[in-house]
Amino acid sequence: MANFLDIRSFFFAALTAALTSLSAARAADDFDLSPQQSGRLHTARNDAAIAAIPKDFKFVTPGKFTIAVSPGGPPLATYATDAKTVVGADPDYAYAIADSLGLRLEIVPVAWIDWPLGLTSGKYDAVISNVGVTEQRKEKFDFSTYRRGLHGFFVKADSPITSIREPKDAAGLRIIVGAGTNQERILVKWSDEDIAAGLKPIELQYYDDEAASLLAMRSGRADVIVQPHAQLVFIAARDKNIKRVGTLSAGWPDRSDVAITTRKGSGLADALTTATNGLIKDGTYARILAHWHLSEEALPASETNPPGLPKY
């Protein structure tokens, strides 16, 4: 099984790198996707975080903080223009955590589906790859939060729609959403609330891919697109023809946080939470998010194992 997963991860990495190199020329000017990452921030050792590491905890490689990242796309994590270096907001945050712990960073690119088995089997110390906290995942993993989980409402740049904050703002709108996604589940509830209030229902639209979705909105067949916020931030900067008019918690009506994921009971989570709070306090955290245009996703503080999304 391990050999099969290694082979699958290798081909995933190769395919993703190839696709990234083809699209690199279209990357938004606002985002540095070079392998050099000259603007990457570094920070000082955090003695409190280091002291919180259990004495019996053994890192995968001594002196290194080894993390798994799924390079699914900018601005969170993607392959740089050299098609092999992983860059983005999550890698930058991981470098800052490694600095805080007095360690060097080792990034292991993985397919998203493979991170749980790789973590439990000890291939890496942690996963920093946009993993949301859920009650089901908490049964097997520990979490140290570092971003808000947000979906974004985006419209055409010249759309008369200026704000979507609550169900009534979306009444009667034609909204593109992914089938079977958490955002679809939420918007179905919003539509039900609108109908109960005597307003028009939301019309949900589904398309096979991103290009078809964006074309539908540009051509006027849809009013709004809802996807994970970070994805749409990059698309807006790249295409310069859509704009944000609101955000939505991935756990609506509750909050939903993204977290560093570690093995259950390993004892590392509290040290990582302390490290993140140190980054928040000294401003490094805010500067990393601002660099990748994700300031809306900032948390006021990191927590260990907070309430997660319930089992549905």
Side-chain angles (χ1 to χ4, degrees):
M1 176 63 74
N3 288 339
F4 171 74
L5 291 175
D6 288 344
I7 292 171
R8 179 166 65 177
S9 293
F10 169 80
F11 280 111
F12 162 81
L15 176 60
T16 306
L19 292 174
T20 300
S21 64
L22 289 173
S23 62
R26 299 191 61 220
D29 294 338
D30 310 59
F31 295 90
D32 175 16
L33 299 184
S34 70
Q36 294 81 15
Q37 292 296 297
S38 58
R40 176 174 288 142
L41 295 169
H42 291 278
T43 191
R45 287 164 54 102
N46 183 326
D47 290 337
I50 294 170
I53 300 172
K55 301 302 181 185
D56 59 350
F57 183 84
K58 294 183 179 179
F59 288 94
V60 171
T61 302
K64 289 185 177 182
F65 181 44
T66 303
I67 65 139
V69 174
S70 179
L76 295 181
T78 189
Y79 284 100
T81 51
D82 64 356
K84 62 181 181 180
T85 304
V86 180
V87 300
D90 280 346
D92 275 9
Y93 169 70
Y95 273 104
I97 290 292
D99 287 344
S100 298
L101 300 180
L103 301 169
R104 289 174 292 143
L105 183 69
E106 180 76 21
I107 294 178
V108 180
V110 299
W112 173 263
I113 196 172
D114 292 338
W115 72 256
L117 181 56
L119 183 57
T120 56
S121 64
K123 284 191 171 183
Y124 20 85
D125 303 309
V127 177
I128 301 182
S129 195
N130 201 41
V131 180
V133 182
T134 70
E135 289 303 310
Q136 185 169 3
R137 286 175 180 156
K138 281 168 64 179
E139 294 173 0
K140 296 183 177 180
F141 304 103
D142 286 330
F143 293 95
S144 304
T145 59
Y146 69 97
R147 278 204 339 269
R148 296 170 62 203
L150 293 181
H151 302 310
F153 292 101
F154 280 66
V155 300
K156 288 198 302 182
D158 60 355
S159 171
I161 299 168
T162 59
S163 178
I164 299 177
R165 303 294 176 189
E166 53 186 324
K168 67 181 181 63
D169 298 332
L173 295 181
R174 300 166 297 170
I175 300 182
I176 298 169
V177 68
T181 60
N182 193 43
Q183 52 265 37
E184 179 195 32
R185 177 189 61 80
I186 294 169
L187 289 174
V188 167
K189 290 185 177 182
W190 276 33
S191 188
D192 290 343
E193 287 194 16
D194 286 336
I195 293 170
L199 302 173
K200 292 182 179 180
I202 297 171
E203 179 187 320
L204 299 182
Q205 297 186 5
Y206 306 91
Y207 294 91
D208 292 334
D209 55 42
E210 177 186 288
S213 297
L214 294 172
L215 178 60
M217 196 163 66
R218 288 199 302 269
S219 65
R221 289 181 283 123
D223 303 306
V224 185
I225 185 169
V226 177
Q227 284 182 201
H229 174 255
Q231 295 176 3
L232 290 171
V233 165
F234 181 80
I235 292 169
R238 180 194 68 195
D239 297 350
K240 305 189 186 307
N241 57 13
I242 64 172
K243 64 181 180 181
R244 180 179 55 230
V245 293
T247 58
L248 170 70
S249 169
W252 183 91
D254 302 314
R255 78 182 215 193
S256 174
D257 293 340
V258 173
I260 308 176
T261 309
T262 50
R263 289 185 292 280
K264 190 73 177 178
S266 70
L268 191 58
D270 284 339
L272 298 175
T273 299
T274 300
T276 297
N277 281 324
L279 296 174
I280 292 172
K281 185 176 180 179
D282 72 14
T284 302
Y285 171 82
R287 291 194 293 272
I288 290 172
L289 290 182
H291 179 71
W292 294 99
H293 299 236
L294 296 175
S295 295
E296 289 77 12
E297 301 191 8
L299 286 173
S302 175
E303 296 179 69
T304 299
N305 292 329
L309 292 179
K311 298 178 181 179
Y312 293 109

